[in-house]
Amino acid sequence: MSQAATLTPRPSPRAPQSTSRILLEFLGSMNLAVTLLVVVGIAAIIGTVLKQDQPYSDYLLRFGPYWFKVFRDLGLYDVYSATWFVFIMSFLVVSTSVCVYRNGPRMLREMRQYRLKVQAKSLRLMRHHVEQETIVDVSGVEARAKRLLENHGYRVREQDHGDHRVLAAMRGRFNRFGYLLTHIGIVVILIGGMLDSNMFLKMAVALGKLKVETQDIPVSQVPASSRIGTWNPSYRGNVSIPEGSSANVLFLQLKDGYVVQQLPFTVAVKKFTVKHYITGQPKDFESEVVVQDTKTGKTVHDVIRVNHPLDFDGDKIFQASFGDGGSKLQFNIWSLVGTSKPLDFKGTVFGKYALDTQDGKRQLEIDNFRMYNIEQVPGQNGETKPRDLGPSVTFKLRNAQGVANEYVNYLVPQQVDGTSYFLSGVRTEPNQPYRYLHVPMGPNGGVKRFMQFAEALHSKPILDDVAANMASTTLKAMGSGENASTHDKIEASIKRILQLFAQGGYPSVVESVRERVPADRQKEAADAFLKVLNAGLEGVYRRVLAQDGVTAPTQKDWNFFQAAVPSLSVLPLYGSPVYLQMTDFKQIQAAGLQITRYPGATVVYIGALMLLSGIFLMFFVSHRRFWLRTEPRGDGGTRVLFAGTSNRNMMEFDNHFTELKDALFSKLRP
């Protein structure tokens, strides 16, 4: 190896890129933008399939404890306001903005610059170019080309370079502007969407400035830490306003609770009207409202109907639903284990009351009142038809340990197999169906006779009398005479069977047989027990009739007996020591209003217009350029180089270039 070769310097390595340049290239990369858009698309699918912003209790019932926690931790119950989704949206805004920042200036230059200093070598490398010589001088060639291009809508510029001249033409330059409009429109839409999300609430909760309230308490008792002032730029919440009342707050569902949004105005419901079909089903409902601005005093009177909201200074007030507004109710409270004399009681829907019962203290919580209860019942030819079950009240009875059963009682008796019953449904969990207690209507109407029957089954004097009489009758039938010891045993056995029935119905009697009688004799013993039980129940019922002055029972009385005994058998499963019979009511309805404020809607509309305009420019406008390079020859002729390029629709541009080329050179003699 020669000395010269050993001294040949190596090429210097490229200087390392700065951190800011690497970061800009990463944020503005196409791969990042596509990845973020895919994630946003998946989140949008989840938000469409899974109903959003529902109470956590609904999701818990639907998915169960395990998956409820998993989906909750992933933020799938409020996808569009989840921290990760807002972060991705913010990242997408930054990424798209960086793309505009990096490519915008270059595209704006391309829109303005005609590249009049283009080299002949560059023109010859273009796919569409042609080069010829003509005897026409330079000025003649340029005049012909200029007229031709201007007639086809091109803007033309010329420049003299001494030994040659360049004529540049351009059409459709706003195609480049379409790229900018498209990307800027995406940024504007994303910003508008983020303005209309509840990310401000999420940030306030994350920073500890806002606390989610989880207790079901009156709005007046909600602490200041769970209240939001009018500073919140966007919201969507619901409020129920009773007829004749007003409200200036909203309840916003957040996580497993809610926060109270203060409104800049007051909504008063003067009148609420529900229109029904002939079957009793609701057809339409509307609210006559008065809205008054808190600061300016501006007042608007209007009627809000379904799909006809009121727009008040950017807030839209929708008629979303209706419900009870605190109806006044009257009850007879019957004891199921004590006296048959009812207690008169008055209450209101949403009220909570303490009750003293034979089985300890209970808390009565009246949840709802419904005027109409429509169900589909079988009709002729297998068709179903609607039937109104009449008014009903829903309430809870909570014991001292806080455990509650939910009940629904109907005011009007219902016909079941030809017999009229008062229905009372009970369930222990909200997701369970109701199990109904059928209380037969007495011969004179009402539930008094059934309650007398239930009281008699728990009356020691009546049971003693019935058991004693049945024991004497049994001994006489056996011809054993009056044997005190035998009489006492038979009386005690009969009384015990009646007590078992009163405490646990037929199942308790059968279980007693299984425990006390050998297996091979259980069927025979069960039949005997049931015969004794039925005779005893008949004896108790005759004493109930005697209390009402009935000495000769009619068939109607015995039909009631046949209907009452099965209900008395399941009465221990009712789960309550009292029975609430609604006797009268005064309905007060409430309008369920949804109030929304979406300041980002206008921003989104502007962004959408920009996006559509940009897409139109990008897909329907082609950015086309032509250059004519003329170089004079010594004999007065001209060497002509004609070239062109387009960013899209190349097949169409092939024909266009051929058309312009033929039109230009057909007048130039070679």
Side-chain angles (χ1 to χ4, degrees):
M1 184 179 292
S2 65
Q3 182 70 18
T6 59
L7 296 179
T8 301
R10 295 181 179 180
S12 58
R14 294 180 58 186
Q17 293 182 326
S18 64
T19 303
S20 59
R21 184 176 181 83
I22 293 174
L23 182 61
L24 283 177
E25 289 183 355
F26 170 71
L27 292 176
S29 65
M30 180 65 71
N31 291 338
L32 175 63
V34 171
T35 302
L36 293 176
L37 285 173
V38 169
V39 176
V40 170
I42 294 174
I45 294 174
I46 296 174
T48 302
V49 174
L50 180 60
K51 196 172 183 179
Q52 302 287 289
D53 296 325
Q54 299 300 301
Y56 273 19
S57 57
D58 293 353
Y59 295 120
L60 180 60
L61 294 175
R62 181 176 178 182
F63 299 116
Y66 177 78
W67 288 109
F68 165 77
K69 293 179 181 179
V70 173
F71 293 159
R72 181 195 62 189
D73 294 340
L74 292 175
L76 300 187
Y77 303 141
D78 190 10
V79 170
Y80 304 116
S81 298
T83 304
W84 59 268
F85 184 80
V86 174
F87 175 77
I88 290 174
M89 293 284 283
S90 303
F91 217 73
L92 187 57
V93 169
V94 173
S95 175
T96 311
S97 301
V98 169
C99 286
V100 175
Y101 170 78
R102 292 182 60 197
N103 299 305
R106 174 176 59 83
M107 293 188 173
L108 291 175
R109 287 195 301 270
E110 289 183 0
M111 291 174 58
R112 298 191 304 267
Q113 293 181 354
Y114 285 78
R115 295 178 57 189
L116 290 168
K117 296 182 179 181
V118 64
Q119 301 295 318
K121 180 179 179 181
S122 298
L123 297 179
R124 293 188 180 100
L125 291 175
M126 293 181 183
R127 173 184 170 185
H128 298 87
H129 75 277
V130 61
E131 191 171 3
Q132 290 187 13
E133 294 188 358
T134 177
I135 62 175
V136 181
D137 60 8
V138 171
S139 60
V141 173
E142 285 190 350
R144 170 66 180 166
K146 185 176 182 180
R147 286 195 305 271
L148 178 64
L149 293 170
E150 287 179 343
N151 289 338
H152 282 79
Y154 287 86
R155 299 164 65 93
V156 180
R157 298 290 186 272
E158 303 173 72
Q159 186 172 346
D160 188 358
H161 297 277
D163 60 338
H164 70 278
R165 291 178 60 85
V166 174
L167 182 146
M170 181 166 48
R171 190 180 78 179
R173 58 176 179 167
F174 286 105
N175 171 272
R176 293 301 187 187
F177 192 62
Y179 172 89
L180 298 179
L181 277 179
T182 301
H183 286 71
I184 295 174
I186 293 175
V187 172
V188 172
I189 291 174
L190 293 175
I191 292 175
M194 293 171 68
L195 284 176
D196 286 346
S197 69
N198 61 359
M199 68 174 184
F200 298 101
L201 300 185
K202 290 290 186 90
M203 293 174 60
V205 172
L207 296 175
K209 297 184 179 297
L210 186 65
K211 180 182 177 182
V212 178
E213 181 59 59
T214 57
Q215 300 183 48
D216 185 11
I217 56 178
V219 64
S220 59
Q221 299 179 15
V222 176
S225 59
S226 299
R227 292 177 176 268
I228 312 169
T230 55
W231 57 264
N232 189 17
S234 64
Y235 46 75
R236 183 184 66 184
N238 298 280
V239 62
S240 181
I241 306 177
E243 191 175 24
S245 301
S246 61
N248 60 354
V249 296
L250 282 180
F251 293 92
L252 307 183
Q253 189 71 31
L254 195 63
K255 292 187 175 180
D256 57 343
Y258 63 91
V259 293
V260 176
Q261 169 70 57
Q262 184 69 40
L263 295 173
F265 52 84
T266 300
V267 183
V269 177
K270 294 299 182 182
K271 184 178 180 181
F272 180 75
T273 305
V274 182
K275 299 178 181 178
H276 297 86
Y277 292 102
I278 191 172
T279 60
Q281 293 178 315
K283 177 173 62 174
D284 192 14
F285 41 96
E286 60 185 28
S287 301
E288 181 182 340
V289 299
V290 178
V291 186
Q292 185 176 32
D293 190 283
T294 305
K295 292 183 178 180
T296 64
K298 175 185 175 181
T299 304
V300 173
H301 296 256
D302 203 350
V303 175
I304 305 175
R305 297 177 55 203
V306 179
N307 299 326
H308 293 82
L310 167 63
D311 193 337
F312 185 81
D313 293 341
D315 287 72
K316 287 188 176 295
I317 306 175
F318 295 86
Q319 180 68 71
S321 62
F322 66 92
D324 196 273
S327 296
K328 310 294 184 182
L329 307 176
Q330 295 185 20
F331 298 93
N332 281 340
I333 300 182
W334 300 86
S335 175
L336 297 177
V337 294
T339 177
S340 60
K341 294 181 180 180
L343 172 67
D344 291 334
F345 178 80
K346 295 181 179 180
T348 60
V349 175
F350 310 124
K352 298 181 180 180
Y353 308 93
L355 296 180
D356 290 324
T357 70
Q358 297 285 339
D359 195 30
K361 292 186 178 295
R362 293 287 194 277
Q363 177 172 278
L364 170 63
E365 304 170 2
I366 305 178
D367 294 334
N368 194 19
F369 170 81
R370 295 183 63 181
M371 177 67 75
Y372 300 98
N373 290 273
I374 309 300
E375 70 167 13
Q376 298 295 324
V377 297
Q380 297 179 351
N381 301 324
E383 298 179 354
T384 60
K385 58 181 181 179
R387 182 181 67 173
D388 182 17
L389 300 182
S392 68
V393 58
T394 305
F395 59 92
K396 294 184 181 71
L397 281 176
R398 195 177 302 275
N399 61 20
Q401 290 73 38
V403 179
N405 287 346
E406 183 179 349
Y407 297 86
V408 55
N409 289 4
Y410 292 86
L411 175 65
V412 181
Q414 308 298 321
Q415 287 284 327
V416 180
D417 296 331
T419 303
S420 296
Y421 294 92
F422 291 93
L423 301 183
S424 178
V426 57
R427 62 185 180 186
T428 57
E429 298 292 340
N431 61 329
Q432 292 179 348
Y434 284 106
R435 295 176 291 111
Y436 285 92
L437 172 68
H438 293 65
V439 179
M441 185 177 68
N444 298 323
V447 299
K448 182 179 179 180
R449 178 164 292 186
F450 180 83
M451 297 305 166
Q452 288 176 316
F453 202 172
E455 178 192 13
L457 280 175
H458 293 84
S459 172
K460 185 176 182 301
I462 292 179
L463 294 184
D464 289 342
D465 183 40
V466 171
N469 288 338
M470 289 182 62
S472 299
T473 302
T474 302
L475 288 175
K476 289 180 181 179
M478 294 172 60
S480 302
E482 288 293 335
N483 186 319
S485 175
T486 305
H487 183 281
D488 290 344
K489 289 181 180 180
I490 295 175
E491 179 181 346
S493 178
I494 294 172
K495 186 175 178 180
R496 183 174 181 275
I497 292 174
L498 290 173
Q499 288 174 338
L500 285 172
F501 179 83
Q503 294 170 2
Y506 285 119
S508 292
V509 177
V510 174
E511 184 64 27
S512 176
V513 173
R514 291 176 179 173
E515 293 176 355
R516 300 166 64 91
V517 179
D520 58 342
R521 297 181 57 191
Q522 285 182 2
K523 186 178 184 304
E524 180 183 353
D527 292 339
F529 270 52
L530 292 179
K531 289 180 181 179
V532 172
L533 173 62
N534 289 334
L537 290 174
E538 182 179 330
V540 174
Y541 182 60
R542 286 183 180 275
R543 283 154 179 78
V544 172
L545 294 178
Q547 293 175 359
D548 289 341
V550 180
T551 58
T554 64
Q555 185 60 43
K556 186 176 182 181
D557 293 321
W558 289 116
N559 290 341
F560 176 85
F561 174 79
Q562 296 295 332
V565 169
S567 297
L568 290 171
S569 176
V570 300
L571 200 58
L573 304 176
Y574 188 56
S576 171
V578 294
Y579 174 82
L580 271 70
Q581 180 190 17
M582 182 169 55
T583 58
D584 199 2
F585 62 87
K586 179 183 178 182
Q587 186 184 25
I588 299 177
Q589 300 185 102
L593 303 181
Q594 183 181 88
I595 303 178
T596 64
R597 180 195 290 172
Y598 287 142
T602 303
V603 178
V604 171
Y605 292 150
I606 294 174
L609 181 62
M610 296 174 67
L611 178 63
L612 292 175
S613 300
I615 292 176
F616 177 83
L617 292 174
M618 289 177 61
F619 285 92
F620 297 99
V621 176
S622 299
H623 188 206
R624 295 176 176 179
R625 290 174 175 271
F626 283 97
W627 290 270
L628 182 76
R629 188 178 189 278
T630 55
E631 182 180 343
R633 295 191 313 172
D635 59 356
T638 305
R639 182 175 292 108
V640 181
L641 177 58
F642 184 62
T645 184
S646 175
N647 69 333
R648 58 178 293 104
N649 295 332
M650 297 309 298
M651 294 182 63
E652 181 184 349
F653 186 72
D654 289 342
N655 299 329
H656 184 60
F657 179 80
T658 302
E659 177 187 358
L660 292 181
K661 178 195 68 174
D662 294 342
L664 174 64
F665 288 103
S666 64
K667 302 295 183 181
L668 302 179
R669 288 177 294 170

